[in-house]
Amino acid sequence: VLAFEERFGPAHEARVVLRLLLTDRAGDALLEREVTARAPLADDEPTTLAVAMGTALEAAAREVAELAVAPR
């Protein structure tokens, strides 16, 4: 996890950044990627932030999973 944060500008949003590194048994990189996901925040309520962080994390994790199983 490179970032798990609330951002205030230019847009008020939750942002999650994940780094994916997939290696073979020898340790050679097969896939290296950085994935960023965002979710907008409509207000300043803590529950809104928690839901947006969950939404962004789910989107980032889904993208990482899709990249990991994609044919190379």
Side-chain angles (χ1 to χ4, degrees), residues 49-64:
L49 174 59
V51 170
M53 292 303 296
T55 299
L57 181 58
E58 181 181 353
R62 187 178 324 107
E63 186 174 345
V64 164

Side-chain angles (χ1 to χ4, degrees), residues 12-33:
H12 191 201
E13 65 185 9
R15 184 176 82 118
V16 173
V17 181
L18 302 178
R19 180 173 179 258
L20 168 65
L21 176 59
L22 184 63
T23 61
D24 61 16
R25 290 182 184 192
D28 296 321
L30 300 173
L31 176 64
E32 188 170 0
R33 205 59 80 73

Side-chain angles (χ1 to χ4, degrees), residues 5-15 38-42:
E5 61 191 1
E6 177 181 12
R7 303 207 26 155
F8 294 96
H12 191 201
E13 65 185 9
R15 184 176 82 118
R38 295 174 170 83
L41 290 165

Side-chain angles (χ1 to χ4, degrees), residues 36-51:
T36 301
R38 295 174 170 83
L41 290 165
D43 56 46
D44 292 329
E45 293 298 317
T47 54
T48 303
L49 174 59
V51 170

